[in-house]
Structure formats: C-alpha cells, structure tokens
Amino acid sequence: MKIKKSLLAFAAPAALIALSGCASQFTAHVARFQQLPVPQGQTFAIVPVNQNDRGGLEFATYANDVAAHLVKVGYRPVTDGTPADMVVQLGYGVDRGQQQVTTTPGGFNCGWGGGWGGWGRRGFRGGWGGGFGGWGGGWRYGWGDPYWGCPDVESYTVYSSHLTMTITRADGTRLFEGRARAHSATDNLTKLVPNLIESMFTGFPGNSGQDIKITIAPDKKS
C-alpha cells in the first residue's frame, strides 16, 4: 500500500504540468482585428471595460503594463488633460474552473484471485489461485490474474482566463479589437494578466483576422 501511494504522488498528470503557465511555458490563443494608423506619436488613454475597475490599483498596474507596450511601438500616453487621439478599453478575467479527471495505468494487483488452492497429496496447495484444486502434487501459489494494473485516477482544476483590448479613435471609429485566452492550473490574475498582455503584444498589431497560438517563456512573465 505504501508503494501504491508513492506512485500516485509521483505520477502527476502530464496535462496538469502543461497547464501550469507560471512553472513552465505560458500559452495563449490570440485573435486580433486591426486597422491601426502608422504610429506617429498619437496619444492614448486607457480605460477599463468593467467600470468597477475604474480608479483601482490592480487595474492601474495592468494599464501601466499595456501603456509601456504602446509606447514601445510609437504611441504616447495623454498627459495634459486634453482628449486623447485613441481610447484603449481593457478587460480581463478568469472563470471558477472546471474539474478534470485523468486515468493512468497502475502497476499493482488491486484484487485477489479467485478461490483457495486445494489439498494435494503433499499438503495444502497454497496461495491465491483459481478454484479448488483436485488431488495432485506440490504447492500452487501466485497472484490472481484478472485485476492486474488498477488505474490511478487523478483530478485537478483547469481555469480559463481572458484579456480583451479595443482601441477606438476619438470620433468613435474602431481601430483595433483583440482577445487573448488561455487555460492554466491557477486562477491568480496577478500571474495571468501580465502573461496575457505579453501575448497580446507579441507581434503587435498582428495580421488582421488571424487567431494564433503564442507561447511565452517562463522567464518573461512569472
């Protein structure tokens, strides 16, 4: 039984390892639609999709991250209180998770074979075997047959997270629509959102209409 327990602890599901975006690579699916102008110092302001996030410190942290990426490509944050050339709407979230179950082959007998051995001329035909033996010679022993290799069952939770970003010109014209989504073994937004932002801006603004998979190395955003 001790050996059985140690094997269960050692055999973590491969799917769970692959999903742990902070311990290993983080993978997101990113779709972008855009007709952004060539960056020439146009100003931008970042606002939350969820108005409950307005003025929040957590939202400000993620907005600063997005602003840093936009500055890198040639846009400027609005600073003097004048209307911005572009308004960036930022939204994010994670669900409550879905339980997943994996089954892997076991390596030990989880049941006894059928029946006791019979009596032979030289004594009891010992061990667990199939049925009562008749009269015959020698001992019979060994493990039963039909239950070899009990499956190990593991359960874990998969969380789905998302980031949405839209950029609109001052006159209301939509210039950019993007979404990034990922599955992970954590629901920690402080880990997930920076990775989703990094994915959104990988190859930004991207080819309009493409839905691509982007992988972030663990040392990029952890």
Side-chain angles (χ1 to χ4, degrees):
M1 183 62 68
K2 291 182 179 179
I3 299 176
K4 176 75 170 178
K5 288 182 179 178
S6 65
L7 278 184
L8 282 169
F10 180 77
L16 181 58
I17 296 172
L19 287 170
S20 55
C22 299
S24 59
Q25 294 179 329
F26 180 90
T27 299
H29 288 270
V30 178
R32 295 173 289 205
F33 301 83
Q34 62 91 16
Q35 49 183 11
L36 281 166
V38 176
Q40 295 178 335
Q42 295 95 330
T43 59
F44 65 86
I46 302 176
V47 299
V49 171
N50 185 347
Q51 294 306 304
N52 292 330
D53 292 331
R54 186 178 292 275
L57 297 177
E58 182 179 11
F59 175 78
T61 299
Y62 305 143
N64 288 338
D65 194 357
V66 170
H69 283 284
L70 290 171
V71 168
K72 283 181 181 179
V73 298
Y75 300 112
R76 294 185 299 114
V78 65
T79 57
D80 55 6
T82 60
D85 297 321
M86 303 183 303
V87 176
V88 181
Q89 289 184 299
L90 186 66
Y92 50 85
V94 63
D95 69 5
R96 295 183 179 181
Q98 296 279 333
Q99 285 293 118
Q100 302 289 332
V101 177
T102 60
T103 303
T104 55
F108 291 87
N109 193 306
C110 63
W112 300 104
W116 291 88
W119 287 93
R121 286 180 299 178
R122 300 179 184 177
F124 181 73
R125 298 173 67 178
W128 298 96
F132 281 94
W135 290 94
W139 294 87
R140 185 175 66 184
Y141 55 90
W143 295 100
D145 175 53
Y147 302 106
W148 176 259
C150 295
D152 294 336
V153 178
E154 301 278 349
S155 65
Y156 55 97
T157 304
V158 177
Y159 298 94
S160 298
S161 56
H162 70 273
L163 177 88
T164 60
M165 189 174 76
T166 62
I167 302 176
T168 305
R169 205 161 55 194
D171 64 4
T173 302
R174 189 66 61 89
L175 301 174
F176 178 90
E177 297 175 355
R179 63 179 181 271
R181 57 203 186 279
H183 299 301
S184 65
T186 179
D187 61 351
N188 187 342
L189 285 176
T190 64
K191 300 290 186 181
L192 295 169
V193 175
N195 279 303
L196 290 168
I197 292 172
E198 184 75 17
S199 300
M200 179 71 76
F201 281 95
T202 299
F204 183 84
N207 296 323
S208 187
Q210 283 190 340
D211 192 326
I212 61 175
K213 183 171 73 173
I214 293 176
T215 300
I216 304 297
D219 58 349
K220 292 288 289 182
K221 297 281 182 180
S222 59

